[in-house]
Amino acid sequence: MSREFDVKDLSLAEGGRRRIEWADQEMPVLRQIRERFRSGQPLKGSRIAACLHVTTETANLMRTLHDGGAEVVLCASNPLSTQDDAAASLVTHYEIPVFAMKGEDSETYYKHIRAALRHRPQFTMDDGADLVSVLHKERRDQLDEVVAGTEETTTGVIRLRAMAAEGMLGYPVIAVNDAMTKHLFDNRYGTGQSTVDGIVRATNILLAGKTFVVAGYGWCGRGLANRARGLGANVIVTEVDPLAALEAVMDGFRVMPMIEAAPLADLFCTVTGDVNVLDRHHFELMKDGAILANSGHFNVEINIRLLEELAVEKRKVREFVEQYRMRDGRRLNLLGEGRLVNLAAAEGHPASVMDMSFANQALSLEWVLKNSDRLENKVYTIPEEVDREIARLKLEAMGIEIDVLTEEQKKYLTSWEEGTT
Ligand SMILES: NC(=O)c1ccc[n+]([C@@H]2O[C@H](COP(=O)([O-])OP(=O)(O)OC[C@H]3O[C@@H](n4cnc5c(N)ncnc54)[C@H](O)[C@@H]3O)[C@@H](O)[C@H]2O)c1
């Protein structure tokens, strides 16, 4: 494998290794998989290109694939989420080529994706489907070499399903996001906690007593709204789906259209996967000093281009906080350039949840390797037995035991004959 790479500073490697090892302590399920992979070499000789947030947790996934016998190359799935020390350590200590730098511009971001594709992957691992998208648009000659892929997040799965529906998807992809042991925990508890962490690190505001608007009450929104409430914020939820909105109401949140919430809020955070959720008519109504953040996958949920046009002045008031002054003097504060705030201004999800998400990635890859002959060019959900096995291993690692069905209960639960007595 080529030793080509592009990271910010290799002298950061030692600190990166310490943080990678620290994260590993909270990743017992992935560790068990790594040990099994190391002895069984299930990925031997396979070439994998991964486009993921370059964090310490991702580093532990890359180590797992590498120890399983794969040739791995890693590029970033977001220009602002790279941890430069983790990238340096992967190159220096683990022989994994990385193409990623925190703060890289859009041109460099895509240059890095193309560099990863030059390794001619047989498997792709994506978070947001940018790697798959560039491969399908620019490197169609390589499509035949790709056996399968995996996708980490909701937005990526939506893009891939759209490709499959149009008959455009060139190979099968496993929707890791659809595993229960992924979205129930990563999206809800991971995004919930780390988004609050990102907002607090960027601003150091007290959440207690603030009016906090959460746009979107899906898996991520549920987690965020509940964590913000736990810190004393007065949370308003906005939604477009009646079921999700009803759930938010019954969970005790105020629910209203964004246009009504706009003048009330101190803080807005979008987590919808949608575009222009905060737009001109909302900006016009916001209070002086309002804080705007996004934790959805792409930086399109807040109409930043329009904000730039409307503002008479823009200045950086803190690391990760750009202040836009409107014509009428109001100041709107945008966090982390509208990119996922938990990764831009904090460290992303805690290792403990990434343990399960990345166990799903590793086991999905092993599963597609065994089953690739019978897969079509579609988006597949992870088999239920893999999901349950990950939950079982996680509980075991936490030292938690659960009850086991008795023979009598098994019979009862599979019988239609037994009713009331
Ligand atoms: N920050 C992170 O680390 C992280 C982690 C996981 C997922 N994500 C991303 O977060 C986004 C949401 O993921 P999810 O798993 O919660 O998705 P989801 O599909 O479970 O929920 C999205 C919700 O947003 C609602 N919505 C859509 N348009 C809206 C609008 N205009 N106004 C208000 N609500 C609207 C939908 O009705 C839905 O209920 C995706 O982009 C996903 O990729 C980010």
Side-chain angles (χ1 to χ4, degrees):
M1 163 154 279
S2 149
R3 292 298 298 144
E4 205 192 326
F5 59 85
D6 194 15
V7 300
K8 188 166 267 169
D9 182 358
L10 285 183
S11 73
L12 300 172
E14 207 42 60
R17 172 151 68 179
R18 281 197 296 274
R19 292 203 316 110
I20 290 169
E21 287 169 359
W22 172 259
D24 194 47
Q25 289 175 41
E26 285 268 44
M27 304 181 87
V29 178
L30 190 65
R31 212 164 45 237
Q32 272 197 42
I33 295 170
R34 185 157 67 240
E35 278 152 22
R36 181 167 68 72
F37 274 18
R38 199 175 290 142
S39 55
Q41 295 287 292
L43 311 180
K44 194 168 176 55
S46 48
R47 291 191 306 278
I48 302 170
C51 178
L52 301 171
H53 299 296
V54 181
T55 63
T56 53
E57 293 79 19
T58 300
N60 284 318
L61 173 62
M62 295 301 106
R63 290 172 65 193
T64 305
L65 306 178
H66 183 262
D67 286 3
E71 288 180 9
V72 195
V73 58
L74 174 66
C75 63
S77 58
N78 186 293
L80 262 193
S81 63
T82 297
Q83 297 170 4
D84 292 314
D85 58 348
S89 174
L90 277 171
V91 171
T92 308
H93 302 120
Y94 302 103
E95 296 172 1
I96 294 170
V98 180
F99 296 87
M101 278 182 222
K102 188 174 176 98
E104 62 195 11
D105 59 20
S106 188
E107 198 185 316
T108 312
Y109 173 75
Y110 282 104
K111 190 182 88 185
H112 283 159
I113 289 183
R114 289 183 196 109
L117 288 174
R118 277 201 298 278
H119 285 252
R120 304 201 80 92
Q122 295 156 311
F123 297 91
T124 60
M125 203 170 251
D126 237 319
D127 187 335
D130 276 347
L131 184 68
V132 171
S133 170
V134 173
L135 179 60
H136 281 70
K137 280 187 201 147
E138 298 178 15
R139 302 304 304 262
R140 299 196 63 81
D141 55 306
Q142 284 182 226
L143 276 177
D144 282 350
E145 297 169 20
V146 184
V147 180
T150 60
E151 169 53 53
E152 171 80 4
T153 198
T154 317
T155 285
V157 172
I158 291 170
R159 288 177 89 187
L160 291 164
R161 290 219 160 94
M163 284 174 81
E166 288 179 24
M168 296 297 289
L169 189 61
Y171 52 88
V173 181
I174 311 297
V176 167
N177 186 71
D178 289 1
M180 297 287 269
T181 45
K182 200 280 180 179
H183 64 259
L184 267 178
F185 304 95
D186 169 316
N187 300 31
R188 184 164 42 170
Y189 303 114
T191 312
Q193 177 173 315
S194 61
T195 300
V196 168
D197 184 18
I199 291 169
V200 171
R201 287 200 210 190
T203 60
N204 197 27
I205 56 162
L206 180 74
L207 283 178
K210 293 279 191 305
T211 299
F212 188 149
V213 171
V214 175
Y217 201 67
W219 289 108
C220 297
R222 289 180 187 110
L224 176 57
N226 280 288
R227 290 299 173 261
R229 172 159 66 186
L231 284 165
N234 184 341
V235 178
I236 296 173
V237 169
T238 70
E239 252 297 342
V240 291
D241 173 43
L243 274 172
L246 187 58
E247 188 181 347
V249 172
M250 299 250 176
D251 282 345
F253 295 105
R254 278 192 290 166
V255 176
M256 62 185 75
M258 187 61 90
I259 199 79
E260 285 177 29
L264 306 178
D266 302 299
L267 176 61
F268 299 82
C269 187
T270 51
V271 254
T272 67
D274 200 355
V275 66
N276 295 340
V277 177
L278 287 177
D279 214 338
R280 175 190 291 270
H281 40 304
H282 308 122
F283 299 145
E284 282 167 354
L285 293 170
M286 287 176 185
K287 291 202 271 199
D288 178 32
I291 293 169
L292 284 59
N294 167 52
S295 209
H297 189 77
F298 286 120
N299 59 339
V300 297
E301 304 211 11
I302 302 169
N303 190 342
I304 299 169
R305 206 160 31 92
L306 186 80
L307 200 54
E308 301 265 348
E309 275 172 37
L310 293 177
V312 290
E313 188 196 350
K314 172 186 168 184
R315 64 189 186 114
K316 185 172 178 169
V317 288
R318 277 172 72 96
E319 172 114 64
F320 306 121
V321 187
E322 300 283 349
Q323 190 169 79
Y324 292 84
R325 196 159 58 79
M326 301 290 113
R327 211 159 274 125
D328 58 11
R330 283 174 310 124
R331 289 155 304 175
L332 304 182
N333 298 298
L334 177 69
L335 307 191
E337 300 173 12
R339 301 190 189 276
L340 339 98
V341 69
N342 59 333
L343 281 140
E347 292 173 64
H349 295 1
S352 179
V353 280
M354 294 318 292
D355 187 25
M356 289 187 283
S357 306
F358 287 164
N360 274 295
Q361 284 282 9
L363 296 184
S364 294
L365 211 58
E366 190 182 31
W367 185 80
V368 287
L369 260 163
K370 285 188 193 140
N371 295 282
S372 61
D373 291 355
R374 58 183 186 82
L375 299 181
E376 296 166 41
N377 294 351
K378 292 197 311 204
V379 178
Y380 286 88
T381 304
I382 286 178
E384 199 185 318
E385 65 270 17
V386 175
D387 222 350
R388 284 193 186 281
E389 177 63 5
I390 292 171
R392 194 189 64 71
L393 289 172
K394 189 71 177 174
L395 282 170
E396 194 180 279
M398 294 165 99
I400 295 167
E401 291 181 21
I402 59 172
D403 286 323
V404 179
L405 288 174
T406 62
E407 284 310 314
E408 181 193 33
Q409 288 169 337
K410 274 189 204 162
K411 184 163 170 276
Y412 179 82
L413 290 172
T414 50
S415 160
W416 58 271
E417 284 166 338
E418 306 207 28
T420 189
T421 51

